[in-house]
């Protein structure tokens, strides 16, 4: 079901960006380097798969997609969102970065109504607003008293560009599959970011590259799940479900980064879940 795909994709995104936080803070990657490696790895896999006719992936499908401007605009929005989100996660706690990122469902609901003609019920609006209130409770006043302003700004713009990506993918639902979306993100990211390599590239060990590959696998699976969910349902109806990823962010903060969430974060998480449940009722 689309809700299951939406929740699964959101959880994978949180896990993937937690891995990216490790790459940046512990191994010295830059956000652009992480994103470039992801796009490069996916593109190489895609090109290899062109040698296997049974996959349906061809050179023409990669380089000359249907509705190329819209597909590549969506890809560019996701590449930008990916870089900004990695910056946000690297500067602030996973729970706070995820909470800021979940301002996206409000943006997505508004854009879905404005550009896709989706009808948003009062109950769904209530669910989104309650979830957004939970996000604010987590961030301010949350457990992080010295939260980075740069991390907040990066997170907000990441949410905006990600919402734009989801709207475009929803518009492309009859012409582009999850595979097409994945391939176009890799093409756009590779072509745009390769010009930054002389300034941002640093040699990496086998261990570091292995972690980067793990990040790529998790993030690609997340992207394909969200794209599949958007083809099956309205963007505004899926939006509240994305709040559930925040609970996983709290868990990962404890397990991976040894950071206990504040009581306000827990209360905010309850509001997030309430908003998600209300949003699915109508």
């Amino acid at each position: 079901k689309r809700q299951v795909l939406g929740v699964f994709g959101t959880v994978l995104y949180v896990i993937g960006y937690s891995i990216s936080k490790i790459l940046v803070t512990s191994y010295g990657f830059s956000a652009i380097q992480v994103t470039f490696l992801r796009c490069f790895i996916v593109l190489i896999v895609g090109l290899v798969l062109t040698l296997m006719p049974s996959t349906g992936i061809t050179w023409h499908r990669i380089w000359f997609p249907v509705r190329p401007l819209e597909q590549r605009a969506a890809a560019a929005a996701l590449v930008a969102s990916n870089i900004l989100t990695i910056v946000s996660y690297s500067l602030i706690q996973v729970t706070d970065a995820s909470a800021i990122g979940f301002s996206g469902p409000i943006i997505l609901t508004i854009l879905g109504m404005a550009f896709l003609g989706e009808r948003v019920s009062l109950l769904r609006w209530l669910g989104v607003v309650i979830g957004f209130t939970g996000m604010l409770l987590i961030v301010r006043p949350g457990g992080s008293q010295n939260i980075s302003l740069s991390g907040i700004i990066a997170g907000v713009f990441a949410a905006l560009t990600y919402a734009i990506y989801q709207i475009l993918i929803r518009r492309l639902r009859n012409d582009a599959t999850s595979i097409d979306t994945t391939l176009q993100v890799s093409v756009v990211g590779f072509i745009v970011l390769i010009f930054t390599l002389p300034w941002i590239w640093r040699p990496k060990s086998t261990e570091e590259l292995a972690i980067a590959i793990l990040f790529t696998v998790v993030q690609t699976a997340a992207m394909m799940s969200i794209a599949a969910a958007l083809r099956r349902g309205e963007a505004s109806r899926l939006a509240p479900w994305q709040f559930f990823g925040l609970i996983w962010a709290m868990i990962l903060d404890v397990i991976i980064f040894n950071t206990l969430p504040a009581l306000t974060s827990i209360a905010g998480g309850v509001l997030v879940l309430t908003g998600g449940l209300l949003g699915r009722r109508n």
Side-chain angles (χ1 to χ4, degrees):
K1 292 183 178 181
R2 61 180 181 273
Q3 293 92 342
V4 174
L5 286 168
V7 173
F8 182 64
T10 301
V11 170
L12 287 179
Y13 265 132
V14 173
I15 294 172
Y17 284 124
S18 297
I19 297 172
S20 76
K21 181 181 179 73
I22 295 172
L23 287 171
V24 172
T25 59
S26 299
Y27 292 100
F29 281 72
S30 69
I32 293 177
Q33 189 174 14
V34 173
T35 304
F36 173 80
L37 280 173
R38 171 188 170 184
C39 294
F40 176 72
I41 292 168
V42 173
L43 182 58
I44 290 298
V45 172
L47 294 176
V48 170
L49 291 177
T50 62
L51 303 176
M52 307 175 189
S54 60
T55 64
I57 298 175
T58 63
W59 279 80
H60 190 274
R61 185 174 178 180
I62 294 174
W63 302 113
F64 303 99
V66 177
R67 297 169 66 179
L69 290 179
E70 288 182 77
Q71 285 210 52
R72 285 170 178 158
L78 186 60
V79 169
S81 178
N82 193 87
I83 294 172
L84 289 166
T85 303
I86 292 173
V87 170
S88 181
Y89 270 71
S90 68
L91 293 174
I92 57 182
Q93 292 180 4
V94 169
T95 299
D96 292 334
S98 299
I100 294 168
F102 289 136
S103 59
I106 279 254
I107 301 171
L108 181 59
T109 299
I110 295 171
L111 293 180
M113 181 177 61
F115 294 102
L116 300 179
E118 296 180 354
R119 300 181 63 182
V120 182
S121 68
L122 288 177
L123 195 57
R124 260 195 279 171
W125 271 118
L126 179 62
V128 171
V129 171
I130 288 176
F132 185 72
T133 302
M135 180 275 288
L136 293 179
L137 188 60
I138 291 169
V139 176
R140 290 292 182 189
S144 301
Q145 298 301 318
N146 298 313
I147 189 169
S148 166
L149 178 60
S150 298
I152 294 174
I153 293 173
V156 170
F157 277 96
L160 173 60
T161 51
Y162 186 60
I164 292 172
Y165 158 76
Q166 291 185 81
I167 289 295
L168 290 171
I169 289 301
R170 178 67 178 154
R171 288 170 59 91
L172 289 162
R173 63 188 181 276
N174 296 323
D175 299 298
T177 67
S178 300
I179 293 176
D180 293 316
T181 302
T182 302
L183 291 173
Q184 292 311 306
V185 169
S186 68
V187 168
V188 171
F190 176 80
I191 292 175
V192 172
L193 300 181
I194 195 171
F195 295 102
T196 68
L197 294 190
W199 294 274
I200 60 92
W201 186 260
R202 299 291 182 275
K204 298 301 176 184
S205 67
T206 302
E207 176 187 348
E208 291 167 335
L209 291 176
I211 297 174
I213 291 173
L214 176 62
F215 165 76
T216 298
V217 171
V218 173
Q219 288 295 93
T220 302
M223 181 178 68
M224 294 182 72
S225 296
I226 293 294
L230 287 166
R231 287 200 311 276
R232 290 170 169 80
E234 293 181 351
S236 56
R237 188 177 293 275
L238 290 171
W241 284 90
Q242 297 180 40
F243 287 125
F244 282 85
L246 187 55
I247 306 305
W248 288 97
M250 292 183 188
I251 295 172
L252 291 173
D253 252 339
V254 174
I255 295 175
I256 299 178
F257 303 104
N258 197 30
T259 302
L260 292 173
L263 290 177
T264 47
S265 294
I266 296 174
V270 172
L271 288 179
V272 164
L273 287 173
T274 302
L277 290 173
L278 280 175
R280 72 177 289 269
R281 290 179 63 88
N282 188 18

